[in-house]
Amino acid sequence: MKIVNLKTLEGQEVEGLRLIQPEIFNDHRGFFYESWNQVKFNENVGESISFHQDNISFSKKDTIRGLHYQLNPKPQGKLISCSFGSVFDVAVDLRSQSLTFGSWIGVELSFENNHQLWIPPGFAHGFLVVSEFAQVQYKVNGFWDKSSERSIYWNDPELSIEWPIKNIASFKPIISTKDFSSPMFNQVKIKGDIF
């Protein structure tokens, strides 16, 4: 297992985010890898994490889910993987005291690379499906709580997320009504819905 500390486009490391690249054993039958190990995971993130829920979403190409998060006192950390297809997965730092506050990280998660992204509490999360279909799995270390749930508009100009879209001006995402009506980042900051 290889752990990668992620950096912003400006080259600044984002504290807490981890890209996990499992060791994959291939042979004539196919492949095998260890997708989860509590001891190794806790060693690599530097704290003891207990997961409470496993969630799965299945979506078609051009679907955007997010940017979602839960506020204190019931925040969620998420371990994200893509078991079928491919997604561009995004985490936005919402920790007001962080040197990378308001910065985003985007990585490809796919069936081919088997990478996982650990997103600790304090980040908003979302993804774009880039394959025809994709199945995304989330291990979360807190239960879903409607009263703590928040979101930010996926294409907020202040965040300037570089989604892998050829012509973003004409792009029509498949998106939920709730996500379409999400507030902008500045509104979230003014309201105090950050960490």
Side-chain angles (χ1 to χ4, degrees):
M1 172 186 305
K2 180 181 177 184
I3 305 296
V4 178
N5 296 329
L6 297 171
K7 297 182 179 182
T8 65
L9 293 177
E10 296 77 30
Q12 193 168 21
E13 187 173 309
V14 181
E15 184 182 344
L17 286 181
R18 300 285 186 273
L19 184 66
I20 301 168
Q21 300 172 338
E23 184 177 7
I24 299 172
F25 301 93
N26 291 289
D27 65 22
H28 65 282
R29 300 167 296 172
F31 67 83
F32 170 87
Y33 72 96
E34 185 178 78
S35 67
W36 169 247
N37 181 306
Q38 182 79 58
V39 173
K40 289 179 184 177
F41 179 79
N42 288 347
E43 285 174 356
N44 285 303
V45 299
E47 60 181 302
S48 181
I49 303 292
S50 296
F51 289 106
H52 298 91
Q53 263 181 237
D54 281 353
N55 303 323
I56 295 176
S57 68
F58 186 81
S59 310
K60 55 186 172 179
K61 186 177 178 68
D62 295 336
T63 294
I64 289 183
R65 294 184 186 262
L67 303 162
H68 303 146
Y69 63 104
Q70 281 188 194
L71 285 175
N72 291 323
K74 297 185 178 181
Q76 285 184 321
K78 300 174 182 179
L79 181 63
I80 311 294
S81 61
C82 183
S83 56
F84 178 81
S86 179
V87 299
F88 182 71
D89 206 78
V90 172
V92 178
D93 192 346
L94 301 181
R95 302 167 300 175
S96 60
Q97 302 303 309
S98 169
L99 295 175
T100 54
F101 175 65
S103 296
W104 62 274
I105 294 289
V107 297
E108 180 191 10
L109 302 177
S110 70
F111 172 76
E112 284 76 25
N113 67 27
N114 296 295
H115 293 173
Q116 298 173 326
L117 181 62
W118 166 241
I119 305 171
F123 289 82
H125 167 254
F127 63 83
L128 165 68
V129 177
V130 296
S131 55
E132 287 304 309
F133 296 95
Q135 180 169 295
V136 174
Q137 296 174 228
Y138 317 59
K139 292 181 86 62
V140 294
N141 73 331
F143 294 107
W144 176 74
D145 180 72
K146 185 173 179 59
S147 64
S148 302
E149 184 181 46
R150 299 291 188 278
S151 62
I152 300 171
Y153 189 65
W154 71 276
N155 197 24
D156 180 280
E158 184 179 350
L159 295 177
S160 297
I161 296 170
E162 294 182 11
W163 300 96
I165 299 166
K166 288 183 182 172
N167 185 354
I168 200 151
S170 64
F171 178 67
K172 303 287 187 222
I174 301 168
I175 191 168
S176 72
T177 302
K178 182 173 78 171
D179 285 350
F180 188 76
S181 61
S182 293
M184 295 293 182
F185 185 44
N186 193 51
Q187 295 171 291
V188 166
K189 290 186 290 185
I190 289 169
K191 193 173 179 183
D193 283 351
I194 54 176
F195 292 84

